[in-house]
Amino acid sequence: MQTDEIHTAVVIVGGGPVGLCLANELAYQGVDYILLEQGEGRVYFPAGENFFSRTMEHLRRWGIADDFRRGNEFPPEMPRNIGFCTHIGGKPLAFFGGTSNAGAPREDPYSPEGGFFYPKKGFDPALRQAAEAKGGDLRYRTRLLSFSEDEVTGTIACVVEDASKGQYQIRCRWLAGCDGARSGVRKALGIHYNGTFGDGFNFAVYLKCPGLGNILNEMFGHPMAQVHTLFDERRAYLTSVDGRDEWRLSIYTKKIDDQVPEDVVRSVIGDDLPFEVLQAQPWAGHRVVAEHYRKGRVFLAGDAVHLRWPKGGFGANTGIGDAVDLGWKIAAVENGWAPVKLLDTYETERRPIAIRNTNEAANNRVLDHMIQPDPVLDEDSPAGEAARLSMNERLFALRLREFVTPGIQLGYRYRNSPIIVPDGTLEGPDDHMVYIPTTRPGARAPHVDLGGGTSILDDFGSGYTLVVTDPEIETESFLEAGRTLGIPVTAKRFADDSVRRGYEVALVLVRPDGHVCWRGEAPPEDADAVWEVVSGRRLQ
């Protein structure tokens, strides 16, 4: 082992989207880190391509959202259309229109970004490139062997192994396990998942098939990003990986089962189209959330703390939300303006969101299994036509909620968080399909279009932002109370009526992650008390 010990503030274990987003958040906040990834960074099986508008807003904060939208791993102008049919080359049953990556910012009324459809094999390398461009220390082919916390020094000693350089030690103040469902960090901490494993099973094939897209497009009269079939109980569905020739084919199975991928592909697309199997694997869907997100100076994020059925794209997006929440709080402690107790609120805030999203994904699975194949659907007869009309209505009733999720994406709130100052107003409904913009404390601060492609969200930075919509209000004493405690805060004044309408009250305090932590029609009588709450100084 090397004798020289390396020091850093944070060690991130895992170079997937969650670990890479934590790296970008820490870089944005000015905190040094070392990321360890035991692989080379290559994505062998592309999945999880649906990225929420909230995720894209985080990328916007880091200044990289436009780079992703212009990326060539998926055609920017291709709409994310989803269809259902009896079988490939059969009869269409339902069509769910979608927006393109390029068009999403123009078409989403609630976000300056909108959603994003991009294969993981392109998304992860782009996140890596962004982190490295900011000077990040990312070490691939390097794995964590062990770690131990020293309570006296308040540090963690990590023994790591580089594939070419051998073993050495890194000492850090915080360790973040973003190392997935089989998380070695979680297991070392003795933290368990709570919930149900093996809710359902699939077999998936990653393939290349020129010409398949043309058949699907002709069936529906639109370019298709995903097509579901109701041919048999396997209910095969195809998802475009690159918008051209690469596809991911999934079938439902009764158990974890290795199958012959070529046979699976032929049974779905037929014998006429040539194809190449690139990768294949069985997988299971779960409904579990870890009992805890933290032990001492070690934290967990992403799949290391929550696993769900992949219906709705909640997985990576929930994990990226974890990374942002954890990242700004570590930065607050590292930069000296918040106590270590602030980090307790990471679990307090994020675990309920994981439970919410995991349950919604499980609900989508239940509704999905209420759709079953029927041979009548393929008949050229009045009975067949009637069955197809009935199935169309059933698909919209049961499956639309999986594809339209602004409430999940933007409407989550940090209820009962000890670093949020409640204002006594009634909380609105939490509907996964409906997003109602609000500045009620705990909610995401709403987007307001300021023209020229800019949003009020662009005025928020790495510290706190006081949004002022009444020009007559004096705010300096409130701001100075925060600055006296070393808390970074700036005021942004807006005369635009649209901002006043969107922000509801005269003063709205937005914290570093873009969530409202206090609001009022006038500065608080006890400004110190507000700052002590939102910075975690009141935590016991």
Side-chain angles (χ1 to χ4, degrees):
M1 179 185 294
Q2 292 179 210
T3 56
D4 292 341
E5 190 174 66
I6 300 169
H7 291 258
T8 190
V10 185
V11 166
I12 303 170
V13 185
V18 175
L20 289 166
C21 281
L22 178 55
N24 277 279
E25 178 67 20
L26 291 174
Y28 175 74
Q29 298 286 351
V31 177
D32 64 289
Y33 66 88
I34 295 174
L35 183 147
L36 309 176
E37 166 54 47
Q38 64 182 357
E40 298 177 349
R42 179 182 173 186
V43 177
Y44 291 92
F45 197 96
E49 57 281 312
N50 183 29
F51 295 98
F52 289 169
S53 53
R54 186 61 178 145
T55 292
M56 293 305 294
E57 289 175 0
H58 295 316
L59 269 62
R60 186 183 181 100
R61 287 170 60 238
W62 304 330
I64 59 176
D66 285 346
D67 295 336
F68 279 71
R69 290 203 183 277
R70 290 195 298 267
N72 59 11
E73 291 290 341
F74 195 86
E77 301 296 338
M78 179 174 171
R80 302 186 296 274
N81 296 326
I82 299 170
F84 288 77
C85 64
T86 55
H87 58 86
I88 305 305
K91 299 185 183 301
L93 298 171
F95 175 81
F96 298 85
T99 58
S100 66
N101 287 342
R106 299 188 301 269
E107 297 179 36
D108 193 324
Y110 304 124
S111 173
E113 286 297 331
F116 184 67
F117 193 93
Y118 213 63
K120 192 171 183 290
K121 70 188 184 86
F123 190 76
D124 288 14
L127 284 174
R128 174 183 178 177
Q129 182 179 1
E132 290 176 337
K134 295 181 176 68
D137 189 342
L138 284 69
R139 305 186 180 197
Y140 287 78
R141 302 181 68 223
T142 303
R143 63 191 182 104
L144 176 68
L145 298 179
S146 65
F147 61 91
S148 58
E149 184 172 342
D150 186 333
E151 295 182 1
V152 176
T153 62
T155 60
I156 301 172
C158 302
V159 178
V160 306
E161 183 177 55
D162 183 294
S164 59
K165 299 177 182 177
Q167 294 183 18
Y168 59 95
Q169 185 164 285
I170 302 174
R171 189 169 292 275
C172 60
R173 289 183 289 280
W174 313 102
L175 177 66
C178 306
D179 48 343
R182 297 182 176 87
S183 172
V185 176
R186 179 179 54 77
K187 292 174 182 177
L189 295 176
I191 293 176
H192 303 286
Y193 288 124
N194 288 334
T196 305
F197 289 94
D199 257 359
F201 305 98
N202 276 47
F203 185 80
V205 183
Y206 171 35
L207 67 141
K208 187 172 184 178
C209 184
L212 178 57
N214 292 336
I215 292 176
L216 300 178
N217 298 348
E218 289 173 7
M219 281 181 65
F220 291 91
H222 299 276
M224 302 304 293
Q226 188 176 83
V227 172
H228 299 248
T229 71
L230 288 176
F231 178 65
D232 55 29
E233 64 180 1
R234 301 176 307 166
R235 291 177 297 139
Y237 60 100
L238 289 150
T239 302
S240 178
V241 172
D242 64 351
R244 293 173 285 272
D245 297 334
E246 294 183 8
W247 296 85
R248 188 177 69 252
L249 167 62
S250 295
I251 60 171
Y252 296 99
T253 60
K254 296 183 182 301
K255 60 181 181 178
I256 288 289
D257 187 17
D258 277 312
Q259 304 195 29
V260 179
E262 289 79 7
D263 292 346
V264 172
V265 175
R266 290 190 190 96
S267 71
V268 175
I269 70 170
D271 297 324
D272 295 335
L273 287 175
F275 63 87
E276 176 188 1
V277 171
L278 304 176
Q279 193 80 14
Q281 63 184 35
W283 57 266
H286 310 292
R287 185 181 186 176
V288 296
V289 176
E291 56 190 357
H292 293 294
Y293 277 37
R294 175 192 185 186
K295 187 173 183 180
R297 290 180 170 268
V298 184
F299 301 84
L300 300 168
D303 283 357
V305 280
H306 43 75
L307 299 171
R308 77 238 38 88
W309 187 253
K311 287 294 180 185
F314 303 154
N317 292 286
T318 305
I320 291 168
D322 297 342
V324 171
D325 190 90
L326 178 59
W328 82 262
K329 289 172 180 174
I330 287 178
V333 174
E334 282 292 299
N335 292 330
W337 57 262
V340 172
K341 291 291 289 183
L342 176 68
L343 293 168
D344 289 344
T345 68
Y346 167 58
E347 178 178 321
T348 304
E349 292 189 341
R350 291 304 302 173
R351 190 169 186 272
I353 304 304
I355 293 172
R356 166 188 185 258
N357 292 358
T358 298
N359 285 339
E360 179 57 28
N363 187 53
N364 283 341
R365 175 186 175 272
V366 171
L367 297 176
D368 170 47
H369 280 265
M370 293 172 68
I371 303 294
Q372 293 298 326
D374 182 348
V376 177
L377 292 169
D378 245 337
E379 289 185 5
D380 289 316
S381 66
E385 186 174 347
R388 289 189 290 274
L389 178 60
S390 177
M391 179 58 75
N392 178 274
E393 295 173 349
R394 189 170 178 80
L395 286 166
F396 272 88
L398 296 176
R399 298 300 302 275
L400 180 64
R401 63 184 293 138
E402 179 185 334
F403 311 130
V404 180
T405 58
I408 286 284
Q409 298 190 36
L410 301 173
Y412 63 92
R413 314 101 182 234
Y414 293 136
R415 296 182 177 93
N416 303 317
S417 170
I419 56 172
I420 298 292
V421 181
D423 67 350
T425 57
L426 292 175
E427 185 174 15
D430 183 9
D431 188 315
H432 74 286
M433 289 184 69
V434 178
Y435 169 63
I436 302 174
T438 180
T439 55
R440 188 178 189 275
R444 159 198 173 264
H447 157 64
V448 177
D449 188 346
L450 301 180
T454 63
S455 166
I456 193 172
L457 305 188
D458 299 331
D459 285 299
F460 305 156
S462 59
Y464 288 79
T465 304
L466 182 64
V467 176
V468 185
T469 64
D470 185 340
E472 303 300 321
I473 289 183
E474 185 278 321
T475 60
E476 191 56 36
S477 58
F478 182 33
L479 299 173
E480 189 57 32
R483 292 168 181 153
T484 299
L485 295 173
I487 299 171
V489 56
T490 58
K492 296 290 183 178
R493 293 180 173 269
F494 299 92
D496 195 318
D497 289 342
S498 65
V499 177
R500 172 65 197 204
R501 289 193 303 271
Y503 274 63
E504 303 173 305
V505 295
L507 301 173
V508 176
L509 185 63
V510 181
R511 66 189 202 180
D513 63 344
H515 281 258
V516 176
C517 56
W518 173 89
R519 69 174 181 176
E521 291 292 359
E525 293 183 5
D526 190 346
D528 289 341
V530 169
W531 288 114
E532 287 172 358
V533 169
V534 302
S535 65
R537 285 174 168 81
R538 288 286 180 94
L539 297 171
Q540 299 299 321

